[in-house]
Amino acid sequence: MELDEFVGPAIQAAKKEGAQQVEVYAVSARTCSAYADDSKVKSVEEKSDLGIAIRLLRDHRFGQSASMVSSVADAEACARNAARVASLLPVEKTFKCFPLPDKPGAWARCSDENVRGVENRELAQLIRDIIGATVEAGKVKVPNGVLRAGHIQARVVNSNGIDVCRDSTLVHLRVSAMTEGINPGEGAETFYSPRINDLDPAAIGKRLRQKALSSAKAKGYQGRMQGAVIIPPGDLAEMFSGSVSFALNMESVNRKRSPWAGRSSQTVADKAISFTDDPTDERGVLSSPFDDEGVPTKKKELVKDGVLRGFVNDAYNAYKSDAPMTGNGVRRSPMELVGQWQMPVSIAPLNMVLRKGDQSVDDIVSSIDKGILVDSFAAPDVHPITGAFGLEVRCGHLIQNGSLTRTVKHCLIAGNMFEALHKVRAVGNDVVTSLNYNLPSVCFDDLELIGSE
Amino acid sequence: MIDLLKQAVGVMQDAGAQFCDARYQKVNRTIIQIVDGGVRSLAEDLTGGLCLRARSSGSWGYASTNDLDRKKVFLAAERAASNSRLGSSKGILIPASKAQRRDLKAAVGLHPSKVPLEEKLALTKDLEKAQRISPQIVNSTAYYMDSVRTNWLVNSFGSELKWEEVRGRLFGQPVASDGIRTELFYNIVDGTKGFEMFKSLDLEEFGRHCGKEAVGMLSAKKCPFGEQVCITDPSVTGLLSHEVMGHASEADEIIKKRSFLSTVVGKKVASDLITMVDDGTVEGAYGSIPFDDEGTPSSRTRIIENGVYRGYMHSLETAAEMQVRPTGNGRAQDPFRRVFVRMTNTYFEAGDWKLDEMLEGVKFGVMTDRFISGMEDPVGGGFEAKALRGFLIENGKVTDVLRSFTLTGKALEILKTTDAVGKDIRLDGGTCGKGNEDFVPVADGGPYCRSRIILGGG
């Protein structure tokens, strides 16, 4: 089946049920994955799915439903279900109208023909190449990893005249390496891009091996200190997703959960910090000219030189806060394409760019008297409301008088992200794409390092 | 459906698969979210699909689709078989097992499909409303979910299975603010039961308690840092069982020596007070399953017994490799995800201490209350858990509420310091991702346990 075969019948079915306004989000996705396991290619999979999510307004009541689709009847049943849901709800006071058509946003090249036509055989070979570039017989192996390449076609149609299609691709890699023998060390690498030719197996393998060997040297940290902490881009993207993205999310503001609510034009971070959501950036895996409600996207300065400039929203929260729509209603994941129709609309930056600095990580290290360069955390999450964090260091390098000294693990770095953003010592120039972020390493001053006694 | 799956298995066998299976899954799900008195979301969804899996040598090929057109299904079966030949992993044959034919309905009191949506909506609204006990509650959320998952599975050993899994979850989460600080609290009821588990609740009390505790969190203090005597509550005890000891006891990690427990069977790894199991048969627990996604009946696996390490959890493949019986731990998130070794309900068994007795012995320490998150470390055996809040213990008494903090350390060192294990256990449901994806429903838990743990953050 093709998308066009069931979108029209779904809208007709909704109207037949008495819907005055209808929105259909229809998706066709195909993904191939190759899995590494114990330095071999263990599994190769391909998957394809068709799905639909319908939202409608019937007598000012809002209903929604989502369904996998293997026939037109499935799409029609989904529409009827959305109408039935609407009949159970009170009159909707906030969401009175699906978005209206507008000029398309800036064009973003988010589809790669090499990914669209990728064969399982090629993916299996690429992950074999990464394994080959990582493994050192008897010393380093690849315990697990996945390389995934997918192509998605999404169509958003609403009864107010929006009818837009998005054709995008995603390449995602997550792979780890570990040393063999007693007390092994482990390191991981990730990769996110719309393009497959950006993937460099040799470079990834080299970094992986270095991380594993470095981690194997780590010893438990004892004692406590306060100092500078350099956090690498991948872990930082996860920390910012749980704190900065949350604070900039208009739903968090409307629900009085955002610590930045009511602070527009105020200083929320050091001058070195500027965040821009840039869906025109070809590096972004969620970059696109419109969001998943069909609203045009645009480049937005959210924090400039430490000053809060704006928030991101979807249609519901734009209405709720009486603000213009920013085109950030998404149903997508930066890791997987299949099953996106199941996701409800939520607010997210499409491609959050942290302005890079001009120092390399080596330069930053040399400027620090006392601190730690983190290789990896166990789980880099931050309490979204309070900003507090206590993160277990899986591998880090202590810094003393501008030089790396010992490698440590089993200790906590503790602090508060919303406070740490005011104590930025340096922003690096080593930009990478991780999740829906493009960002470099950042060094924060005055964080606590806590080990055993 | 069974006939279509049997034919797909035949296609994979004809294409050279040494072992293969075909599973179809259909999930009917209801989600309701009430925020600040309004309906933020109410949806009834239908998800699912077909997964065809073939094994050649030691490698797997998968093809998944939700298009049930017969020709496309057979083409997918051929693709699964050809994909299996792209792998390079060697392995031994999965030994044939006795064919099973079962058709199981979930044994629940009140099936969610029999409950009007209006009743589910009213219940969720009541829970949200009950949280608003003070002007300091600035945001209140109630979330309801039920799912009915129907599975069909046919494999090349001749098994033909159909079974149903019913899950439900009710969640309250108020946010309190005094204008300076903002804090949250939550409570959850969940399980593989029907709507009866919600009908029996005192929603007013459930919501009011959440609201009161959220307001109380506004005066919570910072946790003492460094290594402390720590009484972990059942939910944080559960993180230790699941994240560290559980993940490191999954046999796929053992086979590739990615576990710090790879060579410890029969050895003393914890205090005598510690016994730990993975048990997919616990009645009503969120991680319970009649069969895993390979059709193996779920079972109870003794992992640690009185401090001595006993054994691992297995899929068909790892059981074949290690020449033991599969334990019913071959699981997949959905038909679009691979099957590998996953936990079900993983927990420490009860000891004989009362909580009061455990507190009495603490001059200065901390007790946790509920988790936010945890992370696995099968390689290094490191423990990382984030507690929602805690209590300061001074001279055997609880004196203050503590805001969220993190616990860390080496799991085996923590377990060797455990000197008191409570007499009551509780299991909490959730979803487990292994390697940042592949989420399956699980539960973990145990009793209150007293150990020495590094604390920090908050």
Side-chain angles (χ1 to χ4, degrees):
Chain A
M1 275 192 92
E2 301 295 329
L3 293 183
D4 295 347
E5 291 177 55
F6 61 85
V7 169
I11 292 172
Q12 288 309 315
K15 287 188 171 170
K16 200 172 165 186
E17 293 293 320
Q20 286 81 31
Q21 293 189 49
V22 190
E23 177 198 82
V24 170
Y25 177 76
V27 169
S28 166
R30 177 178 179 268
T31 296
C32 300
S33 306
Y35 291 88
D37 186 278
D38 211 11
S39 302
K40 304 284 185 199
V41 180
K42 180 73 178 176
S43 305
V44 175
E45 69 177 22
E46 61 187 78
K47 45 199 181 185
S48 58
D49 81 339
L50 273 177
I52 191 168
I54 297 177
R55 305 194 297 175
L56 54 80
L57 284 163
R58 188 173 83 164
D59 300 331
H60 308 289
R61 290 166 166 83
F62 187 90
Q64 60 182 324
S65 183
S67 176
M68 60 180 176
V69 174
S70 59
S71 67
V72 168
D74 289 337
E76 291 170 337
C78 183
R80 286 193 294 274
N81 206 32
R84 187 176 68 84
V85 165
S87 70
L88 301 175
L89 294 177
V91 168
E92 171 61 46
K93 291 175 185 160
T94 301
F95 201 108
K96 293 180 178 166
C97 177
F98 287 105
L100 300 170
D102 202 349
K103 289 178 191 165
W107 181 75
R109 187 195 296 273
C110 43
S111 183
D112 174 12
E113 61 180 328
N114 294 317
V115 176
R116 290 199 297 273
V118 75
E119 293 284 337
N120 293 335
R121 187 177 307 280
E122 296 169 61
L123 280 190
Q125 185 56 49
L126 275 170
I127 199 133
R128 212 173 270 132
D129 292 344
I130 292 168
I131 293 168
T134 309
V135 168
E136 197 174 338
K139 285 189 177 173
V140 179
K141 65 177 185 174
V142 174
N144 52 41
V146 57
L147 174 61
R148 178 170 296 136
H151 172 219
I152 187 167
Q153 289 177 294
R155 185 172 169 200
V156 186
V157 182
N158 77 23
S159 52
N160 295 333
I162 281 181
D163 187 352
V164 291
C165 291
R166 172 167 53 80
D167 186 302
S168 57
T169 53
L170 170 70
V171 180
H172 171 55
L173 170 80
R174 184 177 184 86
V175 62
S176 64
M178 67 180 283
T179 58
E180 301 195 50
I182 301 167
N183 296 323
E186 189 173 45
E189 277 280 306
T190 57
F191 174 85
Y192 300 83
S193 175
R195 289 168 298 281
I196 199 158
N197 290 340
D198 294 348
L199 189 78
D200 182 346
I204 288 169
K206 188 178 171 188
R207 288 196 299 271
L208 266 173
R209 191 168 61 240
Q210 283 171 347
K211 283 184 176 179
L213 290 168
S214 174
S215 170
K217 292 180 198 159
K219 306 281 184 208
Y221 176 75
Q222 292 185 318
R224 183 184 172 223
M225 76 160 176
Q226 193 136 1
V229 176
I230 305 171
I231 301 178
D235 284 354
L236 197 57
E238 290 189 49
M239 292 175 76
F240 283 160
S241 289
S243 54
V244 172
S245 292
F246 182 86
L248 291 169
N249 180 320
M250 190 58 92
E251 176 123 12
S252 306
V253 174
N254 287 333
R255 290 167 74 170
K256 300 182 180 65
R257 292 174 168 221
S258 169
W260 289 351
R263 298 196 59 193
S264 285
S265 304
Q266 292 182 23
T267 299
V268 294
D270 184 273
K271 273 186 190 169
I273 296 295
S274 289
F275 285 108
T276 303
D277 184 32
D278 186 1
T280 69
D281 185 336
E282 293 183 1
R283 295 171 298 178
V285 292
L286 301 185
S287 287
S288 58
F290 53 87
D291 72 0
D292 298 332
E293 297 180 288
V295 177
T297 61
K298 60 185 175 189
K299 189 171 174 178
K300 299 169 288 287
E301 284 180 337
L302 299 172
V303 176
K304 188 177 183 191
D305 302 330
V307 176
L308 180 62
R309 294 290 183 207
F311 296 92
V312 291
N313 64 32
D314 60 358
Y316 176 89
N317 284 285
Y319 291 137
K320 185 110 181 159
S321 51
D322 198 20
M325 292 179 198
T326 64
N328 290 89
V330 300
R331 296 176 183 264
R332 280 177 272 167
S333 152
M335 291 166 64
E336 173 63 285
L337 295 177
V338 166
Q340 292 195 350
W341 51 271
Q342 300 173 29
M343 298 181 184
V345 175
S346 63
I347 301 171
L350 293 163
N351 178 46
M352 187 79 109
V353 178
L354 173 63
R355 188 179 65 198
K356 70 175 184 177
D358 52 12
Q359 287 182 278
S360 68
V361 170
D362 288 345
D363 292 339
I364 299 171
V365 167
S366 65
S367 72
I368 294 171
D369 291 335
K370 189 173 63 173
I372 182 169
L373 167 64
V374 175
D375 256 6
S376 63
F377 289 122
D381 47 3
V382 175
H383 193 299
I385 293 176
T386 66
F389 60 82
L391 306 177
E392 186 206 336
V393 177
R394 286 277 160 91
C395 181
H397 310 276
L398 294 180
I399 304 168
Q400 193 78 40
N401 300 323
S403 299
L404 301 179
T405 56
R406 327 188 256 123
T407 305
V408 298
K409 62 181 176 181
H410 296 317
C411 48
L412 291 178
I413 288 179
N416 183 294
M417 180 52 78
F418 298 117
E419 292 168 12
L421 282 169
H422 290 278
K423 295 179 180 179
V424 173
R425 184 187 188 92
V427 178
N429 60 8
D430 54 332
V431 176
V432 303
T433 304
S434 186
L435 300 169
N436 50 341
Y437 271 77
N438 271 282
L439 76 176
S441 298
V442 174
C443 179
F444 300 97
D445 269 330
D446 294 334
L447 295 179
E448 266 186 309
L449 180 65
I450 303 160
S452 59
E453 289 168 352
Chain B
M1 179 54 66
I2 289 286
D3 281 345
L4 180 64
L5 300 185
K6 280 166 74 174
Q7 289 174 48
V9 164
V11 171
M12 288 188 279
Q13 286 177 307
D14 291 346
Q18 292 166 342
F19 168 81
C20 57
D21 54 24
R23 65 190 154 92
Y24 180 71
Q25 191 180 82
K26 190 175 84 171
V27 183
N28 292 93
R29 187 179 61 173
T30 300
I31 291 176
I32 304 169
Q33 191 182 24
I34 309 292
V35 177
D36 297 336
V39 180
R40 181 68 183 93
S41 176
L42 188 154
E44 287 191 325
D45 301 334
L46 172 64
T47 69
L50 173 69
C51 179
L52 302 159
R53 181 175 76 143
R55 190 170 191 258
S56 296
S57 186
S59 300
W60 294 96
Y62 287 82
S64 300
T65 178
N66 56 14
D67 191 336
L68 295 182
D69 176 84
R70 193 166 288 265
K71 280 184 186 166
K72 288 183 180 166
V73 169
F74 296 160
L75 184 61
E78 286 172 8
R79 297 285 294 173
S82 64
N83 285 339
S84 71
R85 291 190 288 275
L86 295 174
S88 56
S89 190
K90 305 294 177 200
I92 65 171
L93 278 177
I94 294 173
S97 57
K98 191 180 167 191
Q100 305 175 78
R101 285 183 174 76
R102 301 287 296 275
D103 184 346
L104 290 181
K105 282 276 180 195
V108 297
L110 186 49
H111 200 282
S113 63
K114 307 287 184 203
V115 179
L117 190 54
E118 293 93 323
E119 192 173 342
K120 299 173 186 176
L121 181 61
L123 171 128
T124 317
K125 282 180 172 175
D126 287 348
L127 175 58
E128 185 279 327
K129 189 177 175 187
Q131 296 168 41
R132 290 182 261 141
I133 53 135
S134 152
Q136 288 185 308
I137 298 293
V138 294
N139 168 235
S140 47
T141 300
Y143 173 89
Y144 171 91
M145 184 280 299
D146 66 47
S147 71
V148 179
R149 179 187 293 197
T150 312
N151 306 276
W152 290 259
L153 184 141
V154 170
N155 69 19
S156 52
F157 299 149
S159 287
E160 295 172 16
L161 298 170
K162 181 184 175 191
W163 73 94
E164 183 187 60
E165 296 168 32
V166 172
R167 284 188 177 77
R169 168 168 278 217
L170 186 64
F171 176 75
Q173 190 194 65
V175 174
S177 178
D178 57 10
I180 300 166
R181 282 179 60 179
T182 305
E183 294 282 354
L184 62 81
F185 190 78
Y186 73 79
N187 200 8
I188 301 174
V189 172
D190 59 26
T192 44
K193 298 177 189 169
F195 196 74
E196 70 277 8
M197 71 176 148
F198 306 127
K199 277 198 109 158
S200 60
L201 289 173
D202 181 342
L203 291 172
E204 182 66 27
E205 174 54 27
F206 184 150
R208 205 169 44 229
H209 173 72
C210 287
K212 184 174 157 235
E213 297 304 319
V215 172
M217 290 278 287
L218 293 172
S219 54
K221 295 183 175 170
K222 188 168 179 172
C223 177
F225 60 83
E227 192 174 310
Q228 306 288 348
V229 173
C230 181
I231 299 175
T232 51
D233 72 301
S235 71
V236 174
T237 300
L239 283 184
L240 182 58
S241 71
H242 175 99
E243 297 293 354
V244 195
M245 303 307 290
H247 276 296
S249 300
E250 292 168 330
D252 53 340
E253 305 289 18
I254 303 297
I255 287 170
K256 58 191 171 195
K257 297 186 174 59
R258 190 179 173 255
S259 166
F260 69 105
L261 300 173
S262 292
T263 57
V264 298
V265 173
K267 292 183 181 169
K268 182 89 172 168
V269 296
S271 140
D272 290 348
L273 302 175
I274 299 294
T275 292
M276 180 184 142
V277 299
D278 179 82
D279 187 350
T281 69
V282 179
E283 192 179 337
Y286 200 71
S288 293
I289 45 174
F291 300 97
D292 68 6
D293 291 302
E294 300 183 302
T296 305
S298 65
S299 68
R300 175 182 172 86
T301 306
R302 200 159 278 261
I303 296 168
I304 302 173
E305 188 170 25
N306 301 326
V308 177
Y309 196 84
R310 291 297 180 205
Y312 308 117
M313 291 165 274
H314 289 280
S315 63
L316 287 177
E317 180 177 64
T318 64
E321 292 288 341
M322 296 179 76
Q323 300 184 8
V324 295
R325 291 168 64 86
T327 55
N329 290 92
R331 303 183 68 191
Q333 174 182 313
D334 58 38
F336 295 90
R337 297 280 180 170
R338 69 194 164 131
V339 174
F340 57 135
V341 184
R342 311 302 302 274
M343 283 171 268
T344 57
N345 306 300
T346 315
Y347 57 96
F348 291 108
E349 289 197 330
D352 51 12
W353 287 66
K354 291 179 183 169
L355 181 57
D356 287 349
E357 294 169 347
M358 293 168 77
L359 286 166
E360 273 170 24
V362 181
K363 192 173 177 192
F364 183 85
V366 166
M367 179 165 65
T368 62
D369 183 29
R370 286 154 219 266
F371 69 83
I372 295 178
S373 63
M375 192 62 186
E376 78 231 42
D377 182 15
V379 175
F383 175 51
E384 194 214 56
K386 294 180 175 71
L388 176 68
R389 68 172 183 176
F391 301 101
L392 188 67
I393 309 165
E394 294 174 293
N395 299 316
K397 305 279 183 206
V398 168
T399 53
D400 269 314
V401 182
L402 304 172
R403 59 189 193 232
S404 174
F405 56 92
T406 305
L407 303 86
T408 190
K410 291 202 76 166
L412 292 184
E413 288 171 11
I414 292 169
L415 289 175
K416 281 176 184 162
T417 68
T418 304
D419 65 358
V421 175
K423 68 186 189 66
D424 299 310
I425 67 170
R426 191 185 77 225
L427 296 181
D428 293 319
T431 52
C432 166
K434 188 167 166 180
N436 269 17
E437 52 183 32
D438 293 293
F439 294 94
V440 296
V442 296
D444 51 56
Y448 283 91
C449 290
R450 191 174 67 194
S451 314
R452 289 191 68 82
I453 303 178
I454 301 169
L455 310 177

